[in-house]
Amino acid sequence: MSGIYIHIPFCRKACHYCNFHFSTSQQSRTAMAAAIAKEAVIRKDFITGTVSTIYFGGGTPSLLTAAELMLMMDIFSSHFSIATDAEITLEANPDDISPDKLLEWKKAGINRLSIGIQSFFEEDLQWMNRAHNASQAKNCIQLAQDAGFHNLTIDLIYGTPGLSNERWITNIETAISFNIPHLSCYALTVEPNTALDKLIQKGTKADVDQQKQAVHFDLLTTRLEAAGFEHYEISNFARPGFRSRHNSSYWQGKPYLGLGPSAHSFNGSIRQWNISNNALYLKSIEQDLIPFEAEQLTDEQQLNEYIMTSLRTMEGCSLELIEKKWGEKNVSAIKAAAQKYLQEEYLNLSGNQLILTKKGKFLADGIAAELFQLN
């Protein structure tokens, strides 16, 4: 099974914390949809077998017109073997969601929505420079459910300087009250060269407090697990049967084709990424060229990527799989590096699975880096 990711590089406005590739000018949007469709045809042999997931990300895919969306979906259907039960996700901003849009998306084959709520409070949304307001944050969920979209996920951000524990708990409880089956919750990260980074450097916005983020993470995991959600990946929570199949394929190392400016692709051993420039991307595709860079992953890189991604999941890192693919020597080295985390109860060893404990999850990336193997 393979996946297709489509990067739609347009947004209505720039969120202060975002470092993804996008443009706030939508003049080339129709041309971009046609170019992405053409890229799909040119690169259809990058992945083989049945496509089980399609994911429209960005940027803001909900800005697409019905015609632009259908153009790409028709190409995918014509040139790939799409599973009859494929998960087809579209990221949407609350201010783009309307009864008419929802009907268009259903007709196009979209069966899962990922809604960028971030917060249900006006002050938080203004602090982030989001395009929607608190009323839209709630109304859009009801609209989506009324239109028959029950496979929903929303994004929430915690650990922002002005977000109190009480308000964060209210955000969590509000999501639960809407009976949303999946949540992706992220600690605010200050990425270099973002508007937020520059505002913090100028002293006009407060920096993040990692201790506050740790408290928010604990409140989040405790409340959602009590409400029946699986904490199946560090930032992702799902009711049984509602895990993100597309994102899970990333963590499982499955192949995927990335289309559009800045999109990444992976076929098991080669990773490649398209240029992050809309004009150059369009010009290249017009000339039947794919503007990308690539790297052949070494065995060491593949092992370390497996450690990083698997450790983030509730199933953990399989030492049996590592021995089979990378040898006993690496298993022994990983066990040795893991000892201090096992003793301090940041990790558990269950059978042949290394699994993060609750307190270890907040330090996942740092712990994974300590287990990396360097030849």
Side-chain angles (χ1 to χ4, degrees):
M1 292 291 189
S2 303
I4 298 175
Y5 171 79
I6 307 98
H7 189 82
I8 305 300
F10 304 103
C11 286
R12 206 178 301 281
K13 64 189 294 190
C15 301
H16 285 163
Y17 55 84
C18 183
N19 72 335
F20 293 143
H21 170 66
F22 67 92
S23 169
T24 53
S25 169
Q26 298 182 49
Q27 286 185 332
S28 62
R29 199 186 63 225
T30 299
M32 184 63 70
I36 289 172
K38 185 176 180 180
E39 184 190 358
V41 176
I42 295 171
R43 299 183 61 206
K44 59 184 172 53
D45 295 328
F46 184 84
I47 51 175
T48 58
T50 302
V51 172
S52 61
T53 64
I54 298 173
Y55 193 103
F56 288 89
T60 311
S62 53
L63 292 173
L64 293 169
T65 65
E68 291 160 354
L69 184 59
M70 282 303 304
L71 170 67
M72 289 180 279
M73 287 297 296
D74 286 345
I75 288 293
F76 300 154
S77 297
S78 300
H79 291 84
F80 297 89
S81 174
I82 311 295
T84 55
D85 65 342
E87 175 193 88
I88 305 176
T89 305
L90 182 126
E91 290 183 351
N93 276 357
D95 47 304
D96 293 324
I97 294 177
S98 67
D100 288 344
K101 277 268 195 178
L102 290 160
L103 183 60
E104 290 173 359
W105 295 338
K106 291 205 86 169
K107 285 182 178 178
I110 304 300
N111 54 31
R112 183 174 183 269
L113 291 181
S114 176
I115 306 177
I117 299 291
Q118 313 311 351
S119 177
F120 292 102
F121 288 93
E122 197 70 38
E123 49 266 58
D124 298 332
L125 297 171
Q126 290 177 3
W127 187 89
M128 297 177 201
N129 201 39
R130 294 290 292 172
H132 67 280
N133 59 41
S135 176
Q136 289 171 321
K138 294 180 179 178
N139 290 342
C140 71
I141 296 172
Q142 193 63 58
L143 285 173
Q145 291 172 330
D146 289 346
F149 281 99
H150 299 296
N151 194 355
L152 289 176
T153 179
I154 68 168
D155 287 353
L156 294 175
I157 290 179
Y158 61 88
T160 56
L163 183 64
S164 67
N165 293 350
E166 292 73 24
R167 216 159 65 217
W168 175 231
I169 291 169
T170 300
N171 272 334
I172 299 167
E173 295 293 345
T174 301
I176 293 171
S177 73
F178 275 106
N179 199 29
I180 296 165
H182 188 287
L183 282 80
S184 294
C185 303
Y186 304 99
L188 178 70
T189 303
V190 182
E191 301 289 353
N193 300 317
T194 58
L196 178 59
D197 180 39
K198 293 170 184 175
L199 290 167
I200 290 172
Q201 289 183 26
K202 287 180 182 178
T204 55
K205 285 202 173 186
D207 203 348
V208 299
D209 179 346
Q210 288 197 334
Q211 185 57 44
K212 170 190 269 193
Q213 293 191 334
V215 171
H216 285 186
F217 183 73
D218 184 63
L219 290 169
L220 172 70
T221 56
T222 300
R223 186 64 194 94
L224 288 183
E225 287 171 4
F229 286 79
E230 294 178 324
H231 188 187
Y232 74 102
E233 194 272 344
I234 295 297
S235 303
N236 289 274
F237 304 79
R239 295 196 181 279
F242 284 93
R243 294 188 186 191
S244 167
R245 287 164 51 193
H246 185 83
N247 288 341
S248 292
S249 70
Y250 293 154
W251 306 320
Q252 294 163 1
K254 293 182 180 178
Y256 58 91
L257 172 63
L259 304 170
S262 81
H264 284 232
S265 301
F266 179 64
N267 68 358
S269 61
I270 297 172
R271 189 175 306 286
Q272 66 182 61
W273 53 97
N274 288 349
I275 191 169
S276 297
N277 182 302
N278 288 2
L280 289 178
Y281 173 84
L282 289 170
K283 184 177 180 181
S284 297
I285 298 295
E286 189 178 317
Q287 299 169 358
D288 296 333
L289 301 173
I290 308 298
F292 71 87
E293 294 181 61
E295 66 172 336
Q296 174 77 47
L297 298 182
T298 65
D299 281 350
E300 174 191 304
Q301 288 173 317
Q302 290 182 52
L303 170 57
N304 289 342
E305 284 203 4
Y306 171 71
I307 293 170
M308 174 66 78
T309 55
S310 65
L311 207 58
R312 292 181 63 89
T313 68
M314 66 184 290
E315 289 78 19
C317 180
S318 170
L319 298 178
E320 183 179 355
L321 175 63
I322 290 173
E323 181 176 2
K324 183 178 179 180
K325 293 186 69 173
W326 292 285
E328 169 60 32
K329 179 182 175 183
N330 282 303
V331 172
S332 297
I334 291 167
K335 280 184 175 180
Q339 278 307 307
K340 65 178 179 179
Y341 296 109
L342 290 165
Q343 291 169 2
E344 295 171 6
E345 298 182 343
Y346 288 101
L347 280 172
N348 279 331
L349 182 58
S350 177
N352 276 317
Q353 301 290 126
L354 274 176
I355 302 171
L356 290 168
T357 63
K358 184 174 181 178
K359 72 175 185 175
K361 287 176 181 177
F362 189 69
L363 305 172
D365 290 348
I367 293 172
E370 289 289 318
L371 303 184
F372 285 172
Q373 297 306 295
L374 303 174
N375 295 329

